[in-house]
Amino acid sequence: CGKDSVGAICGLIFNKGTIEDSNNINSFVSGTGNYVGGVCGRNYDGTIANCENTGNVSNVGYIGGICGANLGLVKKCRNSGNITGTGKYVGGVCGSNGGKLETSYNTGDVKGVDYVGGVCGYQSGGSVDSCYNTGNVTSTGDDVGGVCGYQSGSTSNCYSTGSVTSEKTGAI
């Protein structure tokens, strides 16, 4: 448990750092501020590859099964833990994405307020490619979707089979 930039493996990736072939198996990860992930809290410009989270993750905002916020590269990652946010930017893989999110998936349930998605809660300027969600996605606010809650970038070859529940549905 911590406040900002909390992850089971790493709180913050900077200077093109890499987390590869690393797993958080059934450990609960929580924070009281922003940027909490099952593997990494915040990825500025690094790479998270072939990582897995099976533990439940909870936080206020910017929360994801793999990474709370991504501006780098997340690829070949998987989350099966349940993700619960009491604020904005909640996603099964990444809470927010402005980088590249590729060939990753979520099977856990995702719950939040605004900008809630099965793969990515808030997608702005980045890309989401070949990702999927099978978990249920629930929002008490606006902008929720099976893949992305809010979409303002590139999304391709993605799908969701989980249920989506909210007052308003997102772009995808």
Side-chain angles (χ1 to χ4, degrees):
C1 182
K3 186 176 178 187
D4 291 323
S5 297
V6 177
I9 307 298
C10 175
L12 171 68
I13 297 177
F14 198 68
N15 289 330
K16 303 198 184 301
T18 299
I19 299 175
E20 191 168 8
D21 301 319
S22 299
N23 304 310
N24 173 29
I25 305 300
N26 296 326
S27 292
F28 177 69
V29 181
S30 68
T32 59
N34 288 314
Y35 311 111
V36 173
V39 173
C40 177
R42 188 168 17 175
N43 179 15
Y44 272 118
D45 59 359
T47 299
I48 303 172
N50 197 35
C51 293
E52 178 180 19
N53 174 60
T54 64
N56 294 337
V57 183
S58 73
N59 191 40
V60 177
Y62 292 97
I63 173 176
I66 300 299
C67 186
N70 177 51
L71 293 173
L73 172 63
V74 173
K75 67 179 182 177
K76 296 182 180 177
C77 292
R78 55 217 169 269
N79 173 65
S80 60
N82 294 326
I83 311 303
T84 304
T86 58
K88 299 178 180 181
Y89 316 114
V90 182
V93 178
C94 292
S96 71
N97 180 55
K100 292 182 179 181
L101 176 53
E102 303 172 350
T103 58
S104 298
Y105 65 86
N106 172 62
T107 60
D109 290 342
V110 181
K111 296 178 183 177
V113 179
D114 295 317
Y115 308 114
V116 182
V119 174
C120 178
Y122 187 84
Q123 159 73 351
S124 180
S127 63
V128 177
D129 183 41
S130 301
C131 296
Y132 69 87
N133 168 63
T134 61
N136 298 321
V137 181
T138 305
S139 168
T140 58
D142 294 329
D143 299 311
V144 59
V147 174
C148 295
Y150 174 87
Q151 167 62 21
S152 175
S154 166
T155 299
S156 59
N157 302 311
C158 297
Y159 69 89
S160 176
T161 59
S163 69
V164 178
T165 307
S166 185
E167 297 169 10
K168 179 179 176 184
T169 358
I172 297 175

